[in-house]
Amino acid sequence: MTVTVTLGVKNGAAFVEECLTSLIEQTHRPLEIIVVEDSSTDDTLKCLEDWESRHKHMFGENLEFRILVVNDLGLSASRMLAFREARYPFVATTDIDCRPEPDWISVLHDALTNVPEQVAAVTGQTRFSLGDTTTSRLRATDIERKYANRTLVTTLANGPCSMYRRSIALEVGGFEDWWYHAEDLELSLRLIEAGHVIHYVPKAVVHHVAEGDLGVFLRKRARDARGHFRILRNHRGIIRRQEKKLDFTGSSAKIVWIFPLTIVLVASLFAILISGHISQPNGWILFGILLVIERWLTLSSSTLPVQSSPSSVRFRDRVVGFGIMRLWSLALWWGGARGLLDTLTKSAPVSD
């Protein structure tokens, strides 16, 4: 059976060469690759065309390559366009900043064709590079811990590393054109709501570049939180009926409380100092209890330090990581507030 691989790209010129080369090196054939280039402002389109020109001798009946150029569609709509354009019954999704292992398509394909048709999608694991910043190491180890807790039947077919039965995905509506983030979870829940199943296949691996920029990391976490509210708004029924919580929520359920607790701690200390009751035990007891709770949340949520790192790096990661987690918590509150506003106003913006 033939497979179409789809990926959207915007301002991803730096990733084109390695990502596309890893796709044509897949052991599975026949294979169709569709890239949706979405109004990049860098040299992405030129890089795609140059790469295609250098590799066109490889294309033919068993390996097809297409570039679709669109104008500011957004990732979800780009994925949906590629699904509509796909010629083959199985469609895999990945991202331009990922590097699939050579057997990625073969493993997903075997997993999806050797199970009943009720299994509408299979998903593998995305391994993030540790990189050279505290942010990248925090992200990589947090993702690793999320995957460690996954079971065969999952509630999320991750966008960077999944394969769908095209007909079933389109039957339930595919990716929503207006959905600006968490589009993979939204489609996953509609598949489950329609009575289908998603399987986790850990042997299907793609490697993700390190997410080392703190600003980018925080913006993505805010979008996660905003998207979560929109998921709750549109899929309350299926979420309530699930016997377990949604997969891949990770540490966020704890991290979200770190920032407000930090504010309360600072306010409590300030109140004690300006009240003139420094010697009164009650205020300090309350402060101590809050501090213990905040420490527990931080330590139990943190995936740092990485034990294989040098001792100086571990110390820096431990200190800097605590600061990042407070900003992460703030980002979750900011994104959640925007998601709540979306819910109250019934708005559906396609981007930030």
Side-chain angles (χ1 to χ4, degrees), residues 93-94 98-101 104 124-128 160-161 204-208:
T93 60
T94 191
C98 292
R99 314 285 182 271
E101 291 193 351
W104 174 61
Q125 60 172 310
T126 305
R127 294 177 182 168
F128 280 65
C161 187
V205 176
V206 300
H207 299 276
H208 198 293

Side-chain angles (χ1 to χ4, degrees), residues 54-72:
R54 285 185 285 107
H55 294 86
K56 61 183 179 182
H57 64 282
M58 300 181 63
F59 305 142
E61 182 178 347
N62 288 323
L63 182 61
E64 305 168 58
F65 181 79
R66 284 191 283 161
I67 303 171
L68 307 179
V69 180
V70 297
N71 183 26
D72 202 24

Side-chain angles (χ1 to χ4, degrees), residues 117-138:
E117 193 165 315
Q118 181 188 14
V119 180
V122 290
T123 187
Q125 60 172 310
T126 305
R127 294 177 182 168
F128 280 65
S129 169
L130 286 174
D132 55 7
T133 70
T134 300
T135 300
S136 63
R137 286 186 286 273
L138 179 64

Side-chain angles (χ1 to χ4, degrees), residues 25-254:
E25 290 176 349
Q26 292 294 304
T27 57
H28 182 88
R29 293 290 186 276
L31 188 66
E32 176 189 39
I33 302 169
I34 297 178
V35 181
V36 182
E37 202 291 310
D38 191 4
S39 56
S40 297
T41 57
D42 64 2
D43 292 332
T44 294
L45 181 57
K46 182 179 184 301
C47 290
L48 288 170
E49 292 172 343
D50 288 348
W51 184 92
E52 181 182 24
S53 177
R54 285 185 285 107
H55 294 86
K56 61 183 179 182
H57 64 282
M58 300 181 63
F59 305 142
E61 182 178 347
N62 288 323
L63 182 61
E64 305 168 58
F65 181 79
R66 284 191 283 161
I67 303 171
L68 307 179
V69 180
V70 297
N71 183 26
D72 202 24
L73 279 186
L75 178 59
S76 185
S78 295
R79 290 200 197 280
M80 188 59 187
L81 174 62
F83 258 73
R84 293 193 183 105
E85 291 287 327
R87 297 173 182 170
Y88 302 129
F90 298 101
V91 179
T93 60
T94 191
D95 293 332
I96 194 67
D97 49 3
C98 292
R99 314 285 182 271
E101 291 193 351
D103 64 350
W104 174 61
I105 289 295
S106 296
V107 172
L108 289 178
H109 180 264
D110 290 347
L112 195 53
T113 55
N114 290 318
V115 290
E117 193 165 315
Q118 181 188 14
V119 180
V122 290
T123 187
Q125 60 172 310
T126 305
R127 294 177 182 168
F128 280 65
S129 169
L130 286 174
D132 55 7
T133 70
T134 300
T135 300
S136 63
R137 286 186 286 273
L138 179 64
R139 178 63 168 157
T141 51
D142 184 60
I143 290 291
E144 184 179 359
R145 183 159 69 177
K146 289 177 181 179
Y147 276 113
N149 295 324
R150 297 192 93 175
T151 57
L152 173 63
V153 177
T154 180
T155 58
L156 172 62
N158 301 81
C161 187
S162 292
M163 183 181 290
Y164 301 82
R165 297 185 193 271
R166 179 176 179 271
S167 59
I168 294 178
L170 292 177
E171 183 180 292
V172 301
F175 294 101
E176 291 282 7
D177 289 353
W178 54 266
W179 197 267
Y180 81 103
H181 194 61
E183 78 290 335
D184 48 3
L185 179 56
E186 194 275 336
L187 174 55
S188 297
L189 291 177
R190 277 194 281 112
L191 287 170
I192 294 170
E193 201 162 16
H196 300 292
V197 176
I198 301 168
H199 279 180
Y200 170 49
V201 185
K203 291 183 178 180
V205 176
V206 300
H207 299 276
H208 198 293
V209 299
E211 287 190 352
D213 185 275
L214 179 59
V216 171
F217 172 80
L218 294 175
R219 286 194 293 273
K220 287 185 177 182
R221 304 295 73 76
R223 291 202 301 267
D224 287 343
R226 187 180 185 185
H228 187 70
F229 265 87
R230 296 158 68 102
I231 290 289
L232 292 174
R233 184 184 84 186
N234 290 281
H235 300 281
R236 291 187 298 271
I238 186 64
I239 291 172
R240 284 197 300 265
R241 291 194 296 272
Q242 287 294 302
E243 295 180 358
K244 61 177 183 177
K245 68 178 181 179
L246 296 177
D247 288 340
F248 238 65
T249 52
S251 305
S252 295
K254 291 180 180 179

Side-chain angles (χ1 to χ4, degrees), residues 63 103 238 257 286 306 329:
L63 182 61
D103 64 350
I238 186 64
W257 298 110
L286 177 60
V306 179
S329 179

